[in-house]
Amino acid sequence: NSAYAGMILGYRMIGEDAAHDTYTLTTSFAVPDSAMTVRFVAPRSGVVEVMIQIYHNSSTSNRILSFGLSDNATYNSIGDSYEQTNNYPDETNDQLVQHYWVVTGLTAGTTYNYWLGAKVSLTTAYLNWGGTQAGRFGDFIMKVTALPTATSDFAEYD
């Protein structure tokens, strides 16, 4: 059941050949762009790792950035376990951030589609991606990788 472990099952990149793009974060989870999605077929292990990469423009200090996984382009959480704090800048720390989730309990062979959800604890923070001019932001990336079946000492999921 671990034959596909490490295989990339789904991949989405936005920004390489597009103008700079910006999303103004709100205090509620929302999908910043309906294209921020990845589709995949669950591996035999029923376990995947979902990774996202995006630029966080904190704009000011003390704004907690959180990411969540949605099963719809209009934010619909796949569960509280998948809504997590990513960054709490103490100044105006702007940076390219990556976030990872391990999703367990998937049905092997079933097609899933996840979207990125994001929010900030107080207003005035942004997500940025892409660009074709100097000073471009990092591309948005969302990737799903198959993980091995849970076996003692080799792959454990709690």
Side-chain angles (χ1 to χ4, degrees):
N1 288 341
S2 295
Y4 297 101
M7 178 182 277
I8 296 172
L9 303 174
Y11 195 92
R12 174 65 59 107
M13 186 271 294
I14 305 170
E16 181 180 38
D17 293 322
H20 293 114
D21 214 340
T22 298
Y23 173 74
T24 303
L25 291 160
T26 66
T27 56
S28 297
F29 275 107
V31 173
D33 185 308
S34 62
M36 292 181 171
T37 184
V38 66
R39 181 181 216 111
F40 64 97
V41 175
R44 293 176 68 188
S45 66
V47 184
V48 298
E49 177 183 81
V50 179
M51 184 279 294
I52 62 100
Q53 170 185 286
I54 196 162
Y55 188 84
H56 175 220
N57 176 345
S58 60
S59 178
T60 189
S61 62
N62 303 319
R63 305 291 194 257
I64 301 169
L65 173 66
S66 298
F67 291 128
L69 287 176
S70 172
D71 62 5
N72 194 293
T74 301
Y75 189 78
N76 183 54
S77 176
I78 67 166
D80 291 342
S81 297
Y82 304 103
E83 294 182 343
Q84 302 168 353
T85 299
N86 175 276
N87 194 19
Y88 184 62
D90 62 351
E91 298 295 333
T92 55
N93 305 28
D94 298 348
Q95 61 186 327
L96 188 66
V97 296
Q98 292 183 339
H99 192 85
Y100 295 81
W101 294 269
V102 172
V103 181
T104 61
L106 301 175
T107 302
T110 299
T111 300
Y112 292 86
N113 211 146
Y114 291 151
W115 283 261
L116 170 66
K119 75 174 186 172
V120 68
S121 60
L122 298 168
T123 56
T124 317
Y126 309 92
L127 296 177
N128 306 103
W129 60 96
T132 55
Q133 303 165 344
R136 68 187 307 275
F137 297 107
D139 297 324
F140 168 80
I141 296 173
M142 191 168 189
K143 175 175 65 172
V144 175
T145 305
L147 294 180
T149 300
T151 57
S152 180
D153 299 328
F154 295 104
E156 298 181 19
Y157 309 110
D158 183 11

